[in-house]
């Protein structure tokens, strides 16, 4: 066992004395030592129940013959961090989570790991750590929140942000806004739509690192506790079979993830996280490949914010396995990939049933013949830009309009809420990329303000920042290269005509190459917005959005 490094032999007598100080018995020391990585805290609603998940995992591990040991991971609530300097610290925690978990796992010689994440950066951060450490590992998330109810309709956090825009536009009263505030987030769990947290928890199941139901069983269901115990059993089985994360997270497994991503209509943040996780596995996941996958993959689900269904509905319809089973009708998945069940994808989903064709459209009757995400290129985005196509109004799939240019999110919000943005405009928010932000903030506030003010079917937004999974509309993010490194988005001027063609995968400004070259020659880098702390180190090492915003040592 790996843990013999700290438990067995004469030289380990000091180590054993420290285990004695922990109250660990000699019998426990003889068992495989399983690290339980739990991101429980009292600030993130999606994590407030993870202490109970961790206790259930520990029971499962102990019952299956292991020695469970708990240690923490941090988490940021994107909703609470949204719209202020706190959002600069969201994406950057992904790497802190990966680094700190790697440190804990290797320093203490765990034989296996059970990861307990739930919200946006914990899932990819812990998947990155799993790939690095590469000891048998199972994931079990805290589960999604139940949908709220306002005005007789199911609602979620995206409804809340949009309600603020509606209030600012005089479309609802203060009392109606308060009604949203009191009712959209009724339980613990990751927010109830197909936002980033739920997207990544579902794709963890697809990749093969989580058990059935990992992405969809609601946080408040007792089935979630049972799943946690089963994860404890599963890790001991994986140790017996010596199945490790890099055996599971293969090129084919990531292709499966991209395919199901397109069928579900996941958050555009998956286009940041999947390449970063693949990078840790030694796999180059080029995001341009996403369009090839999208072209052959029908979009089967319209979960909030794209439609009126929620994670609880997807769970009742059969969950992720039912979506995957639909995709096998067209041979769209690699079925021989091994998973944490010890079985292949094909074996796992063999008996899955689609119990609600209104929630999971049959392959013969999709929402669209192409997937939920599109990667765009053009003279604004020579590398890439990303849009959640399934959440775009049909009339905005192709759009041309004048650029309304802002060098930070705050200025754009002020303009939108003061009525300065009009039908046909294309809002450009730049210097918000991984380096420029720094931290690549989510633009949920401006997109929600646009929707709430009734401009969602007439106004587009493009940015080198990113979007929450709760954003909807013609919102194009991850524009690369970003403005801070002189990318063409930095060269757009007020009134330039922007041409968006989502079906054609293109994003261009109608300015000649000669004029863009002239502007480029005159461009100068901006003074950094942040001059101390972790964000300075992050900005010096982070790569562009199209590469997953992974960290690399600066080149001399």
């Amino acid at each position: 066992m790996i843990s013999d490094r700290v438990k067995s032999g004469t030289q380990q007598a000091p180590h054993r004395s420290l285990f004695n100080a922990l109250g660990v018995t000699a019998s426990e020391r003889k068992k495989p030592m399983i690290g339980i990585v739990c991101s429980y805290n009292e600030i993130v609603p999606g994590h407030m129940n993870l202490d109970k998940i961790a206790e259930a995992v520990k029971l499962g591990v102990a019952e299956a013959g292991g020695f469970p040991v708990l240690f923490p991971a941090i988490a940021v609530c994107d909703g609470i961090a949204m719209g202020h300097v706190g959002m600069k610290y969201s994406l950057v925690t992904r790497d802190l989570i990966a680094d700190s978990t790697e440190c804990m796992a290797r320093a203490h010689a765990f034989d296996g790991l059970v990861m307990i994440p739930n919200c946006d950066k914990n899932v990819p951060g812990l998947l990155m750590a799993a790939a690095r450490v590469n000891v048998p590992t199972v994931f079990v998330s805290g589960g999604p929140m139940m949908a709220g109810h306002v005005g007789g309709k199911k609602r979620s956090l995206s409804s809340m942000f949009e309600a603020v825009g509606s209030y600012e536009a005089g479309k609802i009263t203060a009392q109606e806004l308060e009604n949203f505030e009191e009712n959209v987030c009724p339980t613990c769990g990751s927010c109830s739509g197909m936002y980033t947290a739920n997207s990544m928890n579902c794709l963890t199941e697809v990749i093969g690192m989580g058990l059935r139901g990992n992405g969809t069983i609601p946080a408040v269901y007792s089935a979630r506790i049972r799943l946690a115990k089963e994860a404890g059993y599963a890790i001991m089985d994986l140790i017996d079979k010596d199945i490790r994360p890099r055996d599971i997270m293969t090129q084919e497994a990531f292709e499966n993830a991209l395919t199901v991503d397109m069928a579900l209509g996941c958050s555009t943040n998956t286009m940041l996280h999947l390449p970063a996780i693949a990078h840790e596995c030694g796999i180059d996941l080029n995001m341009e490949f996403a369009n090839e996958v999208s072209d052959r993959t029908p979009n089967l689900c319209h979960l909030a914010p794209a439609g009126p269904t929620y994670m609880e509905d997807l769970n009742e319809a059969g969950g992720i396995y039912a979506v995957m089973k639909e995709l096998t009708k067209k041979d769209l998945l690699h079925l021989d990939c091994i998973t944490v069940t010890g079985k292949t994808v094909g074996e796992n989903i063999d008996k899955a049933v689609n119990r609600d064709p209104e929630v999971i459209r049959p392959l013969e009757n999709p929402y669209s013949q192409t997937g939920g995400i599109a990667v765009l290129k053009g003279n604004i985005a020579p590398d890439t830009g990303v849009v959640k196509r399934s959440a775009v109004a049909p009339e905005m799939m192709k759009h041309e309009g004048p650029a309304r240019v802002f060098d930070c999110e705050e200025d754009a919000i002020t303009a939108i809420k003061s009525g300065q943005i009009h039908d046909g405009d294309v809002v450009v928010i730049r210097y918000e990329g991984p380096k420029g932000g720094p931290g690549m903030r989510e633009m949920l506030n401006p997109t929600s303000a646009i929707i709430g003010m009734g401009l969602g079917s007439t106004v587009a937004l493009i940015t080198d920042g990113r979007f929450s999974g709760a954003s909807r509309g013609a919102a194009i993010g991850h524009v690369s290269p970003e403005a801070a490194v002189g990318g063409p988005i930095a060269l757009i001027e007020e009134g330039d005509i922007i041409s968006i063609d989502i079906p054609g995968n293109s994003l261009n400004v109608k300015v000649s190459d000669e004029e863009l070259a002239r502007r480029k020659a005159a461009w100068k880098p901006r003074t950094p917005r942040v001059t101390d702390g972790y964000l300075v180190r992050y900005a010096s090492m982070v790569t562009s959005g199209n590469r997953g915003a992974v960290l690399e040592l600066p080149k001399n």
Side-chain angles (χ1 to χ4, degrees):
M1 293 187 291
I2 296 171
S3 59
D4 286 343
R5 298 173 191 167
V6 296
K7 294 188 305 185
S8 300
T10 303
Q11 296 302 315
Q12 280 65 43
H15 305 66
R16 289 193 295 275
S17 72
L18 292 169
F19 278 108
N20 289 338
L22 288 166
V24 175
T25 67
S27 176
E28 286 176 305
R29 290 201 309 268
K30 293 176 183 176
K31 300 173 182 178
M33 189 165 66
I34 309 301
I36 314 298
V37 190
C38 181
S39 55
Y40 167 77
N41 60 59
E42 295 182 342
I43 189 63
V44 185
H47 293 222
M48 63 182 285
N49 65 321
L50 298 191
D51 55 339
K52 296 177 178 60
I53 301 295
E55 286 303 315
V57 169
K58 289 172 69 177
L59 284 170
V61 169
E63 186 176 348
F67 165 32
V69 180
L70 182 70
F71 67 89
I74 64 168
V76 164
C77 177
D78 279 18
I80 294 174
M82 193 71 64
H84 60 97
V85 68
M87 182 44 68
K88 294 179 184 289
Y89 287 89
S90 171
L91 178 61
V92 305
T93 64
R94 185 187 71 183
D95 297 274
L96 285 174
I97 292 161
D99 293 348
S100 59
T101 302
E102 173 197 349
C103 291
M104 288 292 289
R106 286 184 168 158
H108 299 104
F110 290 106
D111 297 299
L113 298 167
V114 180
M115 308 289 202
I116 310 175
N118 211 29
C119 290
D120 295 31
K121 309 310 165 302
N122 294 86
V123 187
L126 290 178
L127 283 166
M128 290 163 67
R132 288 183 199 173
V133 179
N134 202 36
V135 297
T137 303
V138 178
F139 276 67
V140 56
S141 77
M145 184 183 291
M146 300 295 287
H149 291 82
V150 179
K153 296 180 179 180
K154 287 185 176 182
R155 304 285 189 174
S156 61
L157 186 65
S158 56
S159 309
M160 182 71 254
F161 276 91
E162 290 171 13
V164 174
S166 296
Y167 174 74
E168 296 281 353
K171 296 178 180 292
I172 63 172
T173 66
Q175 185 175 356
E176 289 172 312
L177 181 64
E178 185 178 354
N179 190 30
F180 273 89
E181 182 180 332
E182 293 294 327
N183 292 290
V184 297
C185 294
T187 72
C188 63
S190 49
C191 297
S192 56
M194 188 53 80
Y195 309 151
T196 306
N198 291 325
S199 295
M200 290 306 304
N201 282 325
C202 288
L203 296 186
T204 298
E205 201 173 325
V206 177
I207 289 172
M209 291 297 293
L211 301 175
R212 181 175 190 172
N214 178 72
T216 60
I217 297 173
V220 295
Y221 281 16
S222 297
R224 178 62 58 178
I225 300 297
R226 296 199 301 271
L227 183 71
K229 292 176 182 176
E230 289 168 2
Y233 306 154
I235 188 60
M236 301 308 297
D237 186 52
L238 288 175
I239 288 174
D240 287 344
K241 294 176 178 176
D242 195 27
I243 297 174
R244 299 171 182 247
R246 291 199 185 191
D247 299 325
I248 295 169
M249 292 193 285
T250 61
Q251 176 75 38
E252 291 75 19
F254 283 106
E255 290 177 15
N256 283 348
L258 278 172
T259 299
V260 178
D261 190 335
M262 297 302 170
L264 289 171
C266 289
S267 164
T268 53
N269 279 317
T270 62
M271 298 293 106
L272 281 175
H273 299 323
L274 289 176
I277 300 161
H279 177 75
E280 298 292 350
C281 296
I283 297 168
D284 181 14
L285 195 65
N286 188 327
M287 278 300 94
E288 292 182 49
F289 178 64
N291 281 340
E292 294 180 36
V293 177
S294 182
D295 286 345
R296 62 176 181 255
T297 308
N299 178 225
L300 306 181
C301 299
H302 267 193
L303 293 137
T309 53
Y310 293 80
M311 295 305 296
E312 63 205 61
D313 303 312
L314 180 59
N315 187 63
E316 296 302 318
I320 299 307
Y321 280 16
V323 176
M324 296 173 75
K325 189 63 179 291
E326 286 290 344
L327 294 172
T328 64
K329 294 177 181 178
K330 201 176 173 183
D331 295 325
L332 292 173
L333 297 177
H334 300 283
L335 299 180
D336 56 352
C337 296
I338 196 68
T339 72
V340 292
T341 66
K343 300 177 181 178
T344 65
V345 169
E347 290 172 318
N348 286 342
I349 69 174
D350 182 53
K351 291 181 169 51
V353 175
N354 181 357
R355 296 193 290 265
D356 191 338
E358 295 301 314
V359 176
I360 304 171
R361 288 277 188 94
L363 198 76
E364 303 81 14
N365 182 36
Y367 283 102
S368 66
Q369 292 294 338
T370 52
I373 291 177
V375 175
L376 313 184
K377 295 188 75 171
N379 66 359
I380 295 175
D383 291 339
T384 53
V386 178
V387 63
K388 187 171 182 174
R389 173 164 45 194
S390 60
V392 178
E395 55 269 38
M396 291 298 291
M397 297 296 282
K398 291 186 178 183
H399 179 76
E400 285 193 3
R404 305 300 310 280
V405 182
F406 305 94
D407 287 350
C408 66
E409 176 190 3
E410 290 82 357
D411 290 350
I413 285 284
T414 298
I416 294 166
K417 291 188 174 180
S418 62
Q420 297 177 45
I421 303 301
H422 307 291
D423 289 344
D425 287 348
V426 178
V427 176
V428 178
I429 306 178
R430 61 194 183 188
Y431 294 98
E432 290 285 7
K435 286 184 180 292
M440 203 177 187
R441 288 194 288 181
E442 289 184 343
M443 301 293 148
L444 179 56
N445 272 349
T447 57
S448 297
I450 288 169
I451 297 292
M453 298 187 78
L455 299 171
S457 61
T458 60
V459 170
L461 189 153
I462 67 172
T463 180
D464 53 6
R466 60 195 179 95
F467 295 107
S468 164
S471 289
R472 61 187 176 107
I476 301 164
H478 308 192
V479 170
S480 301
E482 62 174 293
V485 298
I489 192 172
L491 311 179
I492 298 171
E493 295 182 356
E494 186 81 7
D496 285 347
I497 300 301
I498 305 291
S499 175
I500 299 167
D501 182 355
I502 295 173
N505 303 118
S506 69
L507 176 64
N508 291 285
V509 58
K510 290 193 163 183
V511 173
S512 69
D513 292 345
E514 292 76 16
E515 174 60 15
L516 286 175
R518 185 192 66 78
R519 295 179 188 180
K520 175 68 175 178
W523 177 83
K524 294 181 180 178
R526 299 297 177 98
T527 301
R529 288 172 173 156
V530 178
T531 57
D532 62 1
Y534 174 60
L535 289 178
V536 174
R537 297 198 302 276
Y538 180 86
S540 71
M541 297 175 68
V542 69
T543 61
S544 64
N546 70 301
R547 295 185 56 199
V550 299
L551 301 186
E552 291 182 346
L553 291 173
K555 295 178 181 178
N556 294 329

